[in-house]
Amino acid sequence: MQAPRFTIRAALAAAAVLASTAAFAHPKLVSSMPADKAEVAAPQKIELKFSENLATQFSGASLVMTSMPGMANHAPMKIAAKVAGSDDPKTMVITPAQTLAPGSYRVDWRAVSSDTHPINGNIAFTVK
């Protein structure tokens, strides 16, 4: 007996929709270390974990000091840091060039996965 054409077409259409949905998924920030809005001792590295594998050649981050104790009008200051992938293709690692001084920091990130659509965001934390 031959399968009805409608059933085969419906199955193919459903498979195409599921495949296209996966292809157009965008990376989302799942967690960070330190956590967003956390108060921590100076971290040696900052880790951002995403929901998708990252295209490291198109992804990146910058570390900015946004305030410093005793300086009321501290302008945001970019901090030298190395940005790299890790053994986990969903994780971006930001390593400051020097120990972070007490103050408030922001990490501005850009994540690109296999769909090549960039997603931007940031986290903030305070070093005590």
Side-chain angles (χ1 to χ4, degrees):
M1 183 161 129
Q2 191 175 18
R5 288 184 181 166
F6 177 76
T7 305
I8 294 170
R9 287 183 185 153
L12 289 173
V17 167
L18 290 174
S20 68
T21 301
F24 292 113
H26 301 312
K28 293 178 180 60
L29 183 64
V30 175
S31 65
S32 65
M33 186 75 138
D36 190 29
K37 299 181 180 46
E39 188 172 320
V40 297
Q44 292 182 352
K45 64 182 177 178
I46 300 152
E47 292 187 351
L48 305 177
K49 294 186 186 266
F50 293 89
S51 60
E52 305 279 328
N53 290 353
L54 300 176
T56 54
Q57 68 272 31
F58 303 116
S59 301
S62 63
L63 178 60
V64 180
M65 183 179 213
T66 56
S67 72
M68 180 182 284
M71 296 185 75
N73 296 318
H74 182 276
M77 179 174 57
K78 188 168 181 175
I79 303 298
K82 177 183 173 191
V83 180
S86 77
D87 292 339
D88 176 0
K90 296 179 181 180
T91 301
M92 183 185 304
V93 179
I94 300 97
T95 306
Q98 297 180 333
T99 302
L100 297 179
S104 298
Y105 294 85
R106 184 181 70 232
V107 176
D108 296 318
W109 55 263
R110 171 187 168 100
V112 179
S113 66
S114 61
D115 73 352
T116 68
H117 185 263
I119 302 296
N120 300 303
N122 61 61
I123 64 158
F125 62 93
T126 301
V127 173
K128 29 182 181 171

